[in-house]
Structure formats: structure tokens, C-alpha cells
Amino acid sequence: MALSITTWNINSVRLRLPIVVQFLEQFRPDILCLQEIKCQNDEFPADALRELGYDNIILHGQKGYHGVAIVSRLPLSENHRQDYCGMGDARHISAIFEWSGKRIRLHNFYVPAGGDEPDPTVNPKFAHKLKFVDEMKSLRADAEPGISSILVGDLNIAPFENDVWSHKQMLKIVSHTPAETDGLLEVVSRGGWLDLMRQSVDPSQKLYTWWSYRAKDWAAADRGRRLDHIWSSPDLGAHLDSIEVLKEARGWERPSDHVPVTARFSA
């Protein structure tokens, strides 16, 4: 039995509903995790997605900003929302689904972007980001006995040299500073997580999931960053078949600046 899970920062699900529908009709992942839905729960376009067979939807929405959702063709249970940093922001949601005899806890995250100045003493947004990542260090892939784990989302950090277009030029740019990258790698190591994207794509190769709106010609410039991630507990690593970064979606009509990333597993 195959399993496919997609993560996508959609940057307003109502504004970009046409490309969400386009993606689901064309690629049919079993589960789609969205970040930055930018709507409250009762404003989410659930009916349009249920018409496509995605009957299981859990939401953690917020007026105007943030918000995460899990949209699934598989049943979901035991949904949970964690209020990282006690800010009241809708940045995390999780649920359990079953696949190939396994119970799997799926976490969907939207980590704070952190603003422009990489100095927590003068930039509260960057301080918030570092605190958020620090709190994530207690999240373990084996937290629940007998339950495997997958963690996806826009983590807003590109941890490795080839996760950005220029390691040297990005070292003082928020998303690739050592304070962030070291912190995120500590989340991975402490929690016993596998970085499935880098398991599939060698770290020596460039790998991006985000291209700025500010670029006049994003494709020609290709100044990307890998801000979106898919991790798992070690037991699921051997089941990974492939990772697909749908770069073409960055060129769709009224696109997000992030593209869908899909992990495919086999039993």
C-alpha cells in the first residue's frame, strides 16, 4: 500500500483555492498539510476539498494570519494543537492516522519567519523565532509508545549549505543564520528525527522549496531556499520511496512563494 503526504505553505487558502484544487486533482496525495491558511476555521473552504474526496479535515485557523490545516483522504483522530511560546498563534496542529498496520502521529508546523534583522536584542520577531525553535527541541519522534511520527511544514529555516542559493551571502540573512540552523539541527538530533528530504536528495545537491516574490524573474535567478521540510521517526525511513518538489507550481497563476513538497512511501 502506498502513502503520499504533501506539505505546502499556501499563503492564503481562500485566495489560492484554484491552485489547491488544481494540485489535488492532478496529484491526489493522500494527505495535504497547509500552512499560512490565513483564515478562521469557519472560513476555510472545506466543501470544495470534500468534493474532491478529502473528507477528513482538521484546522487550527486564525483571523488574518498564520493558520495550519490537515486535509486527508484517510481518517484522522486524536487531533492536538500546541501553543508554542504561549503567543496564542495558530502555528501547530497534529493528528493520528493509520497506514500499513502503523499508527502515525502527523505534525504540521508553521515556524515564525523572524523578521529581517537577525538580532534578538533588537528584533522581537527573531527572538520569538529562536524561542519557538528552542521549545521544539523537546518534541521527540518516539514520544508516544507504539506510534510512529511524521513532521512537516514551513519551518522557515534552511539548515544546510546547499539549502540556499549562496551559503556565504546568506549567513547573515534570517532563515540561514547559525543561530537558526544550529537550533533546527538540534531539534532533529534531540528528537531522533530523520530529515527525509535530505535522505532522498544528497546534501551535495541544491534543494529549494521557496522563491521570493521580490525576484523579477524567479526562475532565471533561481535564488531559492529550502524552508519546507518533511521529517519522520527512524522506522519510516526505510519506507520512503521518493521526495518530489513541484517547482513548476511557483509559476502557476497567482502562486504562493512556496511550492508543494510530497513524500511517497511504500509498505
Side-chain angles (χ1 to χ4, degrees), residues 128-201:
H128 176 208
K129 183 177 191 175
L130 295 182
K131 183 180 179 184
F132 194 105
V133 172
D134 194 55
E135 290 188 9
M136 287 181 69
K137 294 174 184 176
S138 64
L139 184 62
R140 296 192 55 86
D142 62 355
E144 300 169 276
I147 300 179
S148 304
S149 297
I150 294 175
L151 185 155
V152 308
D154 175 9
L155 305 187
N156 263 313
I157 299 172
F160 298 122
E161 289 192 15
N162 287 314
D163 291 340
V164 293
W165 65 275
S166 172
H167 171 62
K168 183 177 180 180
Q169 294 184 67
M170 290 289 297
L171 278 172
K172 295 183 179 180
I173 303 298
V174 172
S175 77
H176 193 61
T177 68
E180 298 165 271
T181 60
D182 290 350
L184 192 69
L185 292 176
E186 191 173 345
V187 175
V188 173
S189 62
R190 277 201 198 183
W193 296 98
L194 292 181
D195 180 347
L196 295 182
M197 294 176 70
R198 279 308 184 187
Q199 175 177 307
S200 177
V201 180

Side-chain angles (χ1 to χ4, degrees), residues 45-65:
D47 289 346
L49 304 185
R50 290 193 177 105
E51 288 179 5
L52 298 174
Y54 292 83
D55 295 324
N56 305 284
I57 299 173
I58 62 170
L59 305 168
H60 190 187
Q62 185 172 344
K63 184 178 181 179
Y65 299 97

Side-chain angles (χ1 to χ4, degrees), residues 8-17 20 32-46 49 57-71 81 90-93 108-110 154 256:
W8 192 5
N9 179 321
I10 195 58
N11 191 15
S12 178
V13 67
R14 291 178 294 174
L15 179 65
R16 304 190 207 286
L17 181 59
V20 174
L32 172 64
C33 293
L34 297 171
Q35 304 87 38
E36 270 201 289
I37 61 174
K38 293 186 176 180
C39 65
Q40 299 184 80
N41 290 357
D42 61 359
E43 298 170 324
F44 187 84
L49 304 185
I57 299 173
I58 62 170
L59 305 168
H60 190 187
Q62 185 172 344
K63 184 178 181 179
Y65 299 97
H66 318 317
V68 286
I70 301 177
V71 178
R81 296 150 183 80
R91 294 185 176 275
H92 170 265
I93 196 168
N108 182 13
F109 274 93
Y110 174 50
D154 175 9
S256 172

Side-chain angles (χ1 to χ4, degrees), residues 81-123:
R81 296 150 183 80
Q82 183 72 29
D83 184 11
Y84 283 80
C85 301
M87 299 282 286
D89 292 340
R91 294 185 176 275
H92 170 265
I93 196 168
S94 75
I96 289 177
F97 68 95
E98 296 187 8
W99 172 72
S100 189
K102 295 178 179 289
R103 300 186 73 216
I104 301 174
R105 168 72 69 178
L106 174 62
H107 294 274
N108 182 13
F109 274 93
Y110 174 50
V111 172
D116 294 326
E117 176 58 52
D119 183 349
T121 65
V122 300
N123 179 5

